[in-house]
């Protein structure tokens, strides 16, 4: 992954938790993150006593941007987490510069972005720490599992201790020196993972090839925006996400998704359906129990709505996620393309 160190752990959530654990956050610290990601990337923040602060996202990509992150910086910001949604790289170098100017560590959540690149650098190796999930739906899987990579050996050591109950294996006088948990990957899972590593290049290459074929087949549909990685970046296509403009395609992603389902193409309109801050656990901090102290901090930034996070709602109102994988044959991609075209024509009127 282009990093000096990699520490295995037993999930992507554990990877994010261990990365935050290695930073030594203090009560009241704020961690800027995205409202559109896996919950496992958000909930470790209050476990470390910090307040999640949700930056808005680019309505085209669903990723946080240098502008939306900058808008959320405060003197209490202690870390930033960037998710590369669906495998499309965020503007990581620019966000890393923003963080570096203030001495704030950047964590990259690359769980959906194995081998995605920005200017020839693998994502996950641009920030201070990069996190992966090996959950069964990811590019590389051990059933469940995860990994944290870093070029910084001191941070990697912190991660290794955090996933090993704070125990310093190899220390002259080892002791439990921090409140780490048992987040270890098993030897069996590691053996599976090592075998998967050899397949990763081919896995990502085949996903890209299938995506290129779909992009060719769908480029001309009014009201449909296809993934378009910024120049200098390579998408790794964990998913193939369309944006469906409800003003052009009546019924938007829900209607298109329903027709596609009838045509045998599984899909997920609106991805996570709602922003993280709209989920029950955040709407009612009492649900955090003993962790609720994290929210006593003088910050209301964990909340959001259509005015504070317009990009986030615009994206969720339009996105239609197509499952993607390295086994897709040309014929299957052509079938998906034909189904999208048929569903689109049915909604927009056959005269088109
Ligand atoms: C899958 C995923 C996670 C969580 O990984 P688990 O292994 O399920 O805990 C975190 N972040 C992102 C972006 C993910 O896609």
């Amino acid at each position: 992954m282009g990093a000096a160190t990699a520490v295995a752990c037993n999930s992507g959530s554990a990877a994010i938790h261990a990365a935050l654990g290695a930073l030594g956050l203090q009560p009241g610290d704020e961690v800027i993150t995205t409202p559109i990601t896996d919950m496992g990337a958000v909930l470790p923040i209050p476990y470390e006593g910090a307040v999640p602060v949700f930056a808005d996202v680019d309505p085209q990509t669903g990723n946080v941007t240098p502008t939306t992150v900058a808008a959320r910086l405060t003197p209490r910001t202690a870390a930033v987490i960037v998710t590369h949604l669906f495998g499309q790289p965020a503007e990581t170098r620019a966000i890393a510069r923003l963080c570096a100017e203030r001495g704030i560590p950047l964590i990259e959540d690359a769980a959906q972005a194995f081998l995605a690149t920005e200017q020839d650098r693998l994502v996950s190796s641009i920030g201070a720490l990069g996190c992966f999930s090996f959950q069964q739906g990811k590019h590389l899987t051990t059933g469940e599992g995860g990994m944290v990579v870093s070029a910084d050996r001191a941070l990697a050591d912190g991660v290794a201790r955090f996933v090993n109950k704070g125990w310093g294996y190899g220390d002259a006088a080892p002791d439990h020196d921090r409140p780490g948990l048992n987040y270890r990957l098993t030897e069996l899972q590691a053996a599976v993972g090592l075998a998967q590593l050899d397949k990763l290049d081919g896995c990502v290459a085949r996903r890209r090839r299938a995506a290129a074929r779909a992009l060719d087949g769908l480029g001309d549909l009014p009201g449909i925006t296809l993934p378009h990685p910024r120049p200098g970046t390579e998408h790794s296509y964990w998913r193939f996400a369309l944006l469906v403009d409800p003003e052009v395609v009546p019924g938007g992603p829900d209607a298109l998704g329903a027709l596609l389902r009838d045509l045998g193409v599984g899909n997920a309109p609106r991805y996570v359906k709602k922003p993280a801050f709209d989920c029950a656990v955040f709407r009612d901090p009492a649900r955090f129990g003993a962790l609720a102290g994290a929210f006593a901090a003088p910050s209301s930034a964990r909340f959001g709505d259509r005015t504070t996070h317009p990009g986030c709602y615009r994206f969720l109102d339009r996105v239609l996620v197509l499952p993607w994988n390295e086994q897709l044959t040309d014929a299957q991609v052509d079938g998906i393309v034909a189904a999208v075209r048929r569903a689109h024509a049915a909604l927009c009127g056959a005269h088109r």
Side-chain angles (χ1 to χ4, degrees), residues 34 41 43-44 69 129 158 187 193-194 244 260 263 304 309 331 339 341:
T34 168
L43 291 176
V69 169
L129 294 147
E187 296 282 323
L194 285 173
V244 185
L260 275 178
L263 292 168
H309 293 72
R341 300 191 71 91

mmCIF file of all heavy atoms in Angstrom, residues 34 41 43-44 69 129 158 187 193-194 244 260 263 304 309 331 339 341:
data_model
loop_
_atom_site.group_PDB
_atom_site.id
_atom_site.type_symbol
_atom_site.label_atom_id
_atom_site.label_comp_id
_atom_site.label_asym_id
_atom_site.label_seq_id
_atom_site.Cartn_x
_atom_site.Cartn_y
_atom_site.Cartn_z
ATOM 1 N N THR A 34 -17.267 12.784 7.660
ATOM 2 C CA THR A 34 -18.307 12.955 6.647
ATOM 3 C C THR A 34 -19.618 12.332 7.114
ATOM 4 O O THR A 34 -19.594 11.302 7.782
ATOM 5 C CB THR A 34 -17.873 12.311 5.312
ATOM 6 O OG1 THR A 34 -19.014 12.238 4.442
ATOM 7 C CG2 THR A 34 -17.355 10.893 5.519
ATOM 8 N N ALA A 41 -17.150 3.961 10.725
ATOM 9 C CA ALA A 41 -16.095 4.968 10.624
ATOM 10 C C ALA A 41 -16.387 6.176 11.503
ATOM 11 O O ALA A 41 -15.523 7.022 11.706
ATOM 12 C CB ALA A 41 -15.931 5.414 9.171
ATOM 13 N N LEU A 43 -18.654 6.028 14.648
ATOM 14 C CA LEU A 43 -18.900 5.757 16.071
ATOM 15 C C LEU A 43 -17.638 5.637 16.934
ATOM 16 O O LEU A 43 -17.700 5.921 18.129
ATOM 17 C CB LEU A 43 -19.795 4.520 16.216
ATOM 18 C CG LEU A 43 -21.235 4.773 15.729
ATOM 19 C CD1 LEU A 43 -22.070 3.506 15.803
ATOM 20 C CD2 LEU A 43 -21.895 5.892 16.533
ATOM 21 N N PRO A 44 -16.481 5.249 16.383
ATOM 22 C CA PRO A 44 -15.295 5.239 17.253
ATOM 23 C C PRO A 44 -14.928 6.624 17.795
ATOM 24 O O PRO A 44 -14.241 6.717 18.813
ATOM 25 C CB PRO A 44 -14.188 4.712 16.327
ATOM 26 C CG PRO A 44 -14.909 3.871 15.328
ATOM 27 C CD PRO A 44 -16.207 4.610 15.086
ATOM 28 N N VAL A 69 -14.206 20.927 4.562
ATOM 29 C CA VAL A 69 -13.435 20.626 5.780
ATOM 30 C C VAL A 69 -12.990 21.933 6.435
ATOM 31 O O VAL A 69 -13.138 22.112 7.652
ATOM 32 C CB VAL A 69 -12.222 19.720 5.460
ATOM 33 C CG1 VAL A 69 -11.279 19.626 6.667
ATOM 34 C CG2 VAL A 69 -12.690 18.328 5.037
ATOM 35 N N LEU A 129 -2.426 8.387 8.597
ATOM 36 C CA LEU A 129 -2.858 7.007 8.822
ATOM 37 C C LEU A 129 -3.892 6.636 7.759
ATOM 38 O O LEU A 129 -4.734 7.456 7.392
ATOM 39 C CB LEU A 129 -3.508 6.882 10.214
ATOM 40 C CG LEU A 129 -2.592 7.096 11.419
ATOM 41 C CD1 LEU A 129 -3.348 7.739 12.564
ATOM 42 C CD2 LEU A 129 -1.990 5.767 11.870
ATOM 43 N N GLY A 158 1.563 2.890 18.113
ATOM 44 C CA GLY A 158 0.363 3.205 18.887
ATOM 45 C C GLY A 158 -0.825 2.369 18.437
ATOM 46 O O GLY A 158 -1.617 1.884 19.252
ATOM 47 N N GLU A 187 -4.866 -15.559 12.956
ATOM 48 C CA GLU A 187 -3.880 -16.116 12.029
ATOM 49 C C GLU A 187 -4.581 -16.689 10.795
ATOM 50 O O GLU A 187 -4.097 -16.572 9.669
ATOM 51 C CB GLU A 187 -3.078 -17.238 12.719
ATOM 52 C CG GLU A 187 -2.249 -16.762 13.899
ATOM 53 C CD GLU A 187 -0.971 -16.064 13.455
ATOM 54 O OE1 GLU A 187 -0.368 -16.495 12.473
ATOM 55 O OE2 GLU A 187 -0.594 -15.079 14.110
ATOM 56 N N GLY A 193 -6.018 -13.475 3.965
ATOM 57 C CA GLY A 193 -5.677 -12.145 3.458
ATOM 58 C C GLY A 193 -4.419 -12.158 2.606
ATOM 59 O O GLY A 193 -4.365 -11.506 1.555
ATOM 60 N N LEU A 194 -3.409 -12.900 3.041
ATOM 61 C CA LEU A 194 -2.167 -12.962 2.257
ATOM 62 C C LEU A 194 -2.438 -13.545 0.879
ATOM 63 O O LEU A 194 -1.880 -13.084 -0.126
ATOM 64 C CB LEU A 194 -1.108 -13.790 2.996
ATOM 65 C CG LEU A 194 -0.474 -13.077 4.187
ATOM 66 C CD1 LEU A 194 0.443 -14.023 4.954
ATOM 67 C CD2 LEU A 194 0.289 -11.841 3.729
ATOM 68 N N VAL A 244 -28.901 10.495 -10.470
ATOM 69 C CA VAL A 244 -30.113 10.568 -11.274
ATOM 70 C C VAL A 244 -30.825 11.868 -10.922
ATOM 71 O O VAL A 244 -31.249 12.055 -9.771
ATOM 72 C CB VAL A 244 -31.035 9.364 -10.972
ATOM 73 C CG1 VAL A 244 -32.236 9.372 -11.907
ATOM 74 C CG2 VAL A 244 -30.267 8.048 -11.084
ATOM 75 N N LEU A 260 -35.161 -0.945 -12.471
ATOM 76 C CA LEU A 260 -33.965 -1.779 -12.660
ATOM 77 C C LEU A 260 -34.093 -3.095 -11.908
ATOM 78 O O LEU A 260 -33.701 -4.149 -12.399
ATOM 79 C CB LEU A 260 -32.723 -1.042 -12.148
ATOM 80 C CG LEU A 260 -32.048 -0.084 -13.118
ATOM 81 C CD1 LEU A 260 -30.869 0.593 -12.430
ATOM 82 C CD2 LEU A 260 -31.578 -0.842 -14.353
ATOM 83 N N LEU A 263 -35.982 -5.434 -13.726
ATOM 84 C CA LEU A 263 -35.217 -5.969 -14.864
ATOM 85 C C LEU A 263 -34.069 -6.867 -14.385
ATOM 86 O O LEU A 263 -33.220 -7.278 -15.167
ATOM 87 C CB LEU A 263 -34.656 -4.815 -15.707
ATOM 88 C CG LEU A 263 -35.707 -3.977 -16.452
ATOM 89 C CD1 LEU A 263 -35.089 -2.699 -17.015
ATOM 90 C CD2 LEU A 263 -36.346 -4.795 -17.577
ATOM 91 N N GLY A 304 -27.007 18.507 11.703
ATOM 92 C CA GLY A 304 -27.005 19.011 10.348
ATOM 93 C C GLY A 304 -28.402 18.975 9.789
ATOM 94 O O GLY A 304 -29.287 18.306 10.325
ATOM 95 N N HIS A 309 -25.966 21.344 5.365
ATOM 96 C CA HIS A 309 -25.307 20.304 4.561
ATOM 97 C C HIS A 309 -26.029 20.097 3.223
ATOM 98 O O HIS A 309 -26.481 18.990 2.917
ATOM 99 C CB HIS A 309 -25.248 18.988 5.340
ATOM 100 C CG HIS A 309 -24.358 19.044 6.543
ATOM 101 N ND1 HIS A 309 -24.672 19.733 7.682
ATOM 102 C CD2 HIS A 309 -23.136 18.499 6.767
ATOM 103 C CE1 HIS A 309 -23.693 19.615 8.558
ATOM 104 N NE2 HIS A 309 -22.744 18.870 8.037
ATOM 105 N N ALA A 331 -20.607 -9.406 -21.095
ATOM 106 C CA ALA A 331 -22.030 -9.610 -21.377
ATOM 107 C C ALA A 331 -22.887 -9.108 -20.209
ATOM 108 O O ALA A 331 -23.950 -8.514 -20.414
ATOM 109 C CB ALA A 331 -22.299 -11.090 -21.637
ATOM 110 N N ALA A 339 -30.266 -2.523 -19.329
ATOM 111 C CA ALA A 339 -31.349 -2.362 -18.347
ATOM 112 C C ALA A 339 -31.464 -0.896 -17.924
ATOM 113 O O ALA A 339 -32.574 -0.355 -17.824
ATOM 114 C CB ALA A 339 -31.087 -3.263 -17.136
ATOM 115 N N ARG A 341 -30.629 1.702 -19.654
ATOM 116 C CA ARG A 341 -31.171 2.457 -20.794
ATOM 117 C C ARG A 341 -32.681 2.236 -20.917
ATOM 118 O O ARG A 341 -33.440 3.165 -21.182
ATOM 119 C CB ARG A 341 -30.456 2.069 -22.098
ATOM 120 C CG ARG A 341 -28.954 2.346 -22.068
ATOM 121 C CD ARG A 341 -28.332 2.198 -23.447
ATOM 122 N NE ARG A 341 -28.757 3.293 -24.298
ATOM 123 C CZ ARG A 341 -28.083 4.444 -24.407
ATOM 124 N NH1 ARG A 341 -26.949 4.625 -23.748
ATOM 125 N NH2 ARG A 341 -28.539 5.399 -25.180
#
